[in-house]
Amino acid sequence: MGIFDSVQNAGTRAKLNGEIVLIDRRLVARKKLFGVEIYDLFDALDDKHKSDLFSMPELFKGVEGQMKQPLEDCRKEVRVMHGEKVSKEDELAKLEVRRERDTKNSVGSFFSNTSTDATLKVQITMLERNIKLRKEEFGLDVWQYVSKDNSITGSMVAETTKKTSGLGKVTGAIGGLAKGVTSGVTSGLGKLSKDERDVQECLEKAKEDVGFMERSKERKNSIIAGLGK
């Protein structure tokens, strides 16, 4: 390899490594976004059920053991911050009423209330930010579990395949097995509620996005490997 080729390869390698760094950042950002989205969907499901004990959607039954503690920890911390946020919002609402009243009576009270008002707004904004960050952390904590093929679709395929494995002894078994698997999966998906389908779509979209980026990263690493040293 000539000097020119070596220099060119070094430039290509540097460019690809830079692109890989960006992909890694996007991967982390996408998993964080998944954390926010899936937590909010879980929260909506919990509100509908109105139960002290959260029931894991069927979609995640295969990884419920691994997800339970991270979810409980996140819910506990988010609820505390949300309670603080609601309290400060109530305080802010009362302050605004007092400020309207004090405008007519005392300039000093008006400016004092305005200062407190600004402080409360900053505190509320910080709490909203911290709640979002905690949900993002939850996404990173559970991604390694939910990214595996533990969706209800995967479970239904495995279960239906197991039940119909004996068809291999019969003529046309492969066609019958395929039909049985398809029917079983369709039946399983049909049992999902709208909220559970929203959860599934959230997960599948995240897996699709992350998979696309990971394949892009693999291609770039392959090109780097082919450049030699």
Side-chain angles (χ1 to χ4, degrees), residues 110-217:
F110 172 78
F111 282 112
S112 175
N113 286 339
T114 300
S115 175
T116 306
D117 178 299
T119 299
L120 284 170
K121 286 180 178 177
V122 169
Q123 291 173 339
I124 290 169
T125 299
M126 287 299 297
L127 283 165
E128 289 173 342
R129 177 177 178 275
N130 289 337
I131 287 171
K132 180 174 180 287
L133 288 173
R134 186 61 186 88
K135 293 176 184 179
E136 290 178 341
E137 183 183 341
F138 170 67
L140 294 175
D141 288 342
V142 302
W143 181 257
Q144 60 181 314
Y145 310 122
V146 302
S147 60
K148 297 174 183 176
D149 190 15
N150 287 294
S151 68
I152 190 169
T153 306
S155 300
M156 288 300 298
V157 168
E159 185 63 23
T160 307
T161 301
K162 187 194 302 181
K163 290 179 179 178
T164 56
S165 60
L167 291 176
K169 300 176 182 179
V170 183
T171 304
I174 295 177
L177 176 58
K179 187 181 294 184
V181 169
T182 303
S183 175
V185 171
T186 303
S187 174
L189 293 177
K191 294 176 183 177
L192 293 177
S193 67
K194 181 187 179 303
D195 293 318
E196 289 173 325
R197 286 197 298 273
D198 289 341
V199 169
Q200 183 182 31
E201 288 173 8
C202 173
L203 173 60
E204 295 306 322
K205 183 64 171 66
K207 288 168 72 173
E208 179 184 339
D209 292 343
V210 168
F212 176 81
M213 287 184 274
E214 287 179 339
R215 289 190 295 275
S216 177
K217 179 180 175 179

Side-chain angles (χ1 to χ4, degrees), residues 10-44:
T12 301
R13 188 180 297 108
K15 177 177 178 294
L16 290 169
N17 279 325
E19 291 172 354
I20 288 171
V21 169
L22 290 176
I23 290 174
D24 284 336
R25 290 176 184 171
R26 290 173 188 148
L27 281 166
V28 171
R30 185 61 183 91
K31 294 170 187 177
K32 286 181 175 181
L33 175 61
F34 168 75
V36 175
E37 294 173 338
I38 203 68
Y39 182 92
D40 289 344
L41 287 169
F42 282 175
D43 207 34

Side-chain angles (χ1 to χ4, degrees), residues 5-88:
D5 288 335
S6 296
V7 171
Q8 188 177 41
N9 285 351
T12 301
R13 188 180 297 108
K15 177 177 178 294
L16 290 169
N17 279 325
E19 291 172 354
I20 288 171
V21 169
L22 290 176
I23 290 174
D24 284 336
R25 290 176 184 171
R26 290 173 188 148
L27 281 166
V28 171
R30 185 61 183 91
K31 294 170 187 177
K32 286 181 175 181
L33 175 61
F34 168 75
V36 175
E37 294 173 338
I38 203 68
Y39 182 92
D40 289 344
L41 287 169
F42 282 175
D43 207 34
L45 277 170
D46 199 27
D47 286 344
K48 286 189 177 182
H49 293 156
K50 298 185 183 301
S51 172
D52 292 335
L53 296 175
F54 178 74
S55 178
M56 188 70 67
E58 188 67 30
L59 186 66
F60 297 112
K61 288 298 183 182
V63 291
E64 184 173 9
Q66 295 96 322
M67 286 187 66
K68 185 177 180 181
Q69 195 60 52
L71 178 58
E72 287 182 356
D73 291 344
C74 185
R75 291 178 75 207
K76 188 183 299 181
E77 293 176 36
V78 167
R79 284 182 173 181
V80 170
M81 289 186 283
H82 180 71
E84 292 177 6
K85 176 174 170 285
V86 169
S87 176
K88 292 184 183 299

